[in-house]
Amino acid sequence: MKLTFLGTGTSQGVPVIGCDCEVCRSEAHHDKRLRTSAMLEWQDKRIIIDAGPDFRYQMLREGIRHIDAILLTHEHKDHTGGIDDVRAFNFVDYPKAIHTTHIFGNEPTITAIKRDFHYAFAKDKYRGVPEIELHTFDTDHSFTIAGLEVQPIVGDHSNRFRSIGFRFGSLAYLTDMNYIASEEIAKLDGVNTLVINALRWEKHSSHFSVDEAVEIIKRIAPKRAYLTHMSHRIGLHSELETRLPQGIYPAYDGLKIDIND
């Protein structure tokens, strides 16, 4: 199994429009962050985790011609805004075949997709709209996508929203959380590779800070952990690397890691 970080930035991305800070002025590749998304590949299968506004470019950059499903963490636009671009996958083999895109989310997320992309679900659809099949999962139970077991992990994304992380065997992916209950952390026992959001060093109302993310990592005790969903206020990537404890790494766009344990 392989995990690719398609984007590791916040809802604004990095650089931020109009910002003149050191990070936004940096020319280093690792300091340029698209909206947070990831790709999980095993055998000949491929799942995309979140499809934000940068989805089209991320797919082009990685040279992707087919996906088996999109798995959504929550309904916010920086994680769903690119869904219209699944049309390219629907019709890549047209007229020989039309490939429906399967999208998985919890009930609030699926409700938002139906609202925001209503034209894809109309009874009398116009030609060329996305061909989508929606799947609502129950966060209390695991489910399968293309034969892969997925265990939902529920976290708070402020006191108004929930974000759903996922465990895939020895890998867990958590983003857009600022609190996770002990009973949900217990579901991560035995995880060897953990991905978790860390917005910045200062506390925030809807995301883990770096120190809070590190504390969660220590509780789960994976062999290695990667930070994602990082803002320009987290500092330069090269400096961040030196400030993190051993075994914890800042992810960056395009990073690929093998999940073999």
Side-chain angles (χ1 to χ4, degrees), residues 67-86:
I67 58 176
D68 290 282
I70 295 175
L71 182 56
L72 299 175
T73 58
H74 63 297
E75 65 266 36
H76 289 165
K77 276 293 191 293
D78 55 319
H79 296 259
T80 65
I83 284 176
D84 183 79
D85 285 316
V86 303

Side-chain angles (χ1 to χ4, degrees), residues 135-154:
H135 304 266
T136 304
F137 59 75
D138 181 349
T139 57
D140 291 330
H141 300 92
S142 61
F143 58 97
T144 60
I145 300 178
L148 180 67
E149 184 176 3
V150 182
Q151 171 68 62
I153 308 295
V154 180

Side-chain angles (χ1 to χ4, degrees), residues 65 87-99 127-128:
R65 281 186 50 85
R87 291 180 295 150
F89 294 116
N90 296 154
F91 302 112
V92 68
D93 293 325
Y94 183 84
K96 182 180 179 181
I98 297 176
H99 305 289
R127 183 178 180 183

Side-chain angles (χ1 to χ4, degrees), residues 144-233:
T144 60
I145 300 178
L148 180 67
E149 184 176 3
V150 182
Q151 171 68 62
I153 308 295
V154 180
D156 287 356
H157 185 17
S158 81
N159 59 1
R160 298 177 59 188
F161 301 101
R162 299 289 181 269
S163 183
I164 311 303
F166 305 104
R167 178 174 182 169
F168 315 91
S170 65
L171 165 68
Y173 184 94
L174 312 176
T175 191
D176 287 62
M177 295 182 181
N178 77 332
Y179 172 78
I180 180 169
S182 295
E183 56 267 28
E184 296 298 309
I185 290 179
K187 297 176 183 178
L188 300 170
D189 183 50
V191 161
N192 289 325
T193 301
L194 174 65
V195 179
I196 188 169
N197 66 284
L199 186 76
R200 61 190 192 186
W201 289 95
E202 303 87 1
K203 287 183 67 65
H204 191 270
S205 61
S206 59
H207 296 272
F208 289 130
S209 67
V210 174
D211 289 338
E212 288 169 337
V214 169
E215 182 60 31
I216 296 293
I217 293 167
K218 289 179 178 179
R219 291 180 64 183
I220 298 170
K223 292 181 179 178
R224 56 182 177 172
Y226 295 87
L227 305 185
T228 192
H229 208 288
M230 293 172 279
S231 80
H232 60 153
R233 294 183 62 178

Side-chain angles (χ1 to χ4, degrees), residues 2 7 17 21 23 35 37 45 67 81 88 107 118 123 141 151-152 167 172-174 195 221 230 232 253-254:
K2 179 172 67 177
I17 293 173
C21 76
V23 176
R35 267 60 75 92
S37 177
K45 306 298 183 182
I67 58 176
E107 186 172 353
H118 56 90
K123 290 183 179 179
H141 300 92
Q151 171 68 62
R167 178 174 182 169
Y173 184 94
L174 312 176
V195 179
M230 293 172 279
H232 60 153
D253 291 20

